[in-house]
Amino acid sequence: MYVPPQFASTDPSHASELIRSYPFASLISVDDKGLPYITPLPLHLLEEEGRWLLLGHCARPNPHWRYLQARPQAVVSFMGPQAYMSPSVYPDLARVPTWSYLTVQCTVQARLIEHFDDKDRLLKHLIHEHDPAYAQQWRGLGEDFQHKMMAGMVAFELEVMDWQCKLKLNQHRPESHQALYSTYASGTADQRVLADWMVRLGLIGAIREET
């Protein structure tokens, strides 16, 4: 991923927060023809003994798990909030539009999970994160049903070997910050989140101190 230095974050808390808040990711592998193969899916971040693990699964008919088995190294992309940025935020007219966004990309090493008990532990993490109330219903469906459902999926653990976090909020153009913040703070849900991140990164505080 292209990450100009002004947009790069090396703070793991930024990356982990975005992963947890926007867990619906794109898992990208190489298929047998050498082309990218992409599966959109939710992933659960587990921080364990200094490692980051992403837990997920796909349907058994999806060939993606076979590509992970043959070529375990893959890329996972998490897209956070994003929004158009109008050139009207600048005090001068010689400007062009752009786009604001927050994203995390991870290089991962995959390990397939086939044993029922291991799959069960993985599903507990996913259910707890997305629908805790469903846990009791799942347990009440019976072992035969559970085993049938488990057999129809392939679970995997993706160990994060490296990550990049890109926070593109026009950091290098301080003359735009106040107008951009005002636009986003009163805009869509994604725009409001971006406005909050501008405050978090000190882009707005710095302007207020100067004035």
Side-chain angles (χ1 to χ4, degrees), residues 10-207:
T10 58
D11 187 337
S13 69
H14 291 168
S16 62
E17 180 176 337
L18 287 171
I19 291 172
R20 294 186 191 282
S21 299
Y22 301 88
F24 196 67
S26 292
L27 174 61
I28 307 164
S29 295
V30 177
D31 68 13
D32 293 336
K33 297 179 180 179
L35 296 173
Y37 190 89
I38 304 170
T39 296
L41 77 173
L43 294 172
H44 173 78
L45 174 61
L46 182 64
E47 299 185 55
E48 186 177 80
E49 299 177 353
R51 299 187 303 160
W52 282 11
L53 302 174
L54 299 171
L55 308 179
H57 62 85
C58 67
R60 191 169 291 276
N62 183 343
H64 204 146
W65 68 270
R66 297 186 187 277
Y67 303 145
L68 290 174
Q69 187 176 53
R71 292 169 289 276
Q73 192 171 65
V75 170
V76 175
S77 179
F78 296 90
M79 177 55 71
Q82 47 81 27
Y84 173 74
M85 195 199 87
S86 169
S88 65
V89 299
Y90 294 105
D92 58 302
L93 299 179
R95 302 288 183 162
V96 296
T98 187
W99 211 269
S100 300
Y101 59 88
L102 313 180
T103 186
V104 179
Q105 289 193 11
C106 303
T107 302
V108 299
Q109 191 76 13
R111 182 178 72 87
L112 300 186
I113 297 174
E114 287 285 7
H115 193 275
F116 177 87
D117 290 341
D118 293 330
K119 286 184 180 180
D120 186 58
R121 280 192 290 272
L122 182 145
L123 286 180
K124 283 180 179 176
H125 285 294
L126 293 173
I127 291 172
H128 178 74
E129 181 173 2
H130 299 293
D131 193 3
Y134 177 69
Q136 184 175 356
Q137 179 180 335
W138 167 250
R139 296 303 168 201
L141 294 175
E143 287 190 9
D144 289 345
F145 181 84
Q146 290 181 29
H147 277 273
K148 182 180 178 180
M149 293 295 101
M150 295 280 201
M153 74 178 206
V154 178
F156 38 78
E157 175 185 278
L158 308 172
E159 182 174 1
V160 177
M161 311 306 293
D162 192 18
W163 56 267
Q164 293 176 294
C165 182
K166 184 174 183 178
L167 311 177
K168 186 175 181 292
L169 289 167
N170 227 26
Q171 289 94 320
H172 59 314
R173 303 296 185 196
E175 69 275 18
S176 70
H177 291 172
Q178 189 60 60
L180 180 59
Y181 173 79
S182 298
T183 298
Y184 283 170
S186 60
T188 66
D190 267 14
Q191 288 175 322
R192 293 194 299 272
V193 175
L194 291 171
D196 290 342
W197 274 86
M198 291 184 74
V199 174
R200 177 173 177 171
L201 295 177
L203 304 183
I204 300 307
I207 288 178

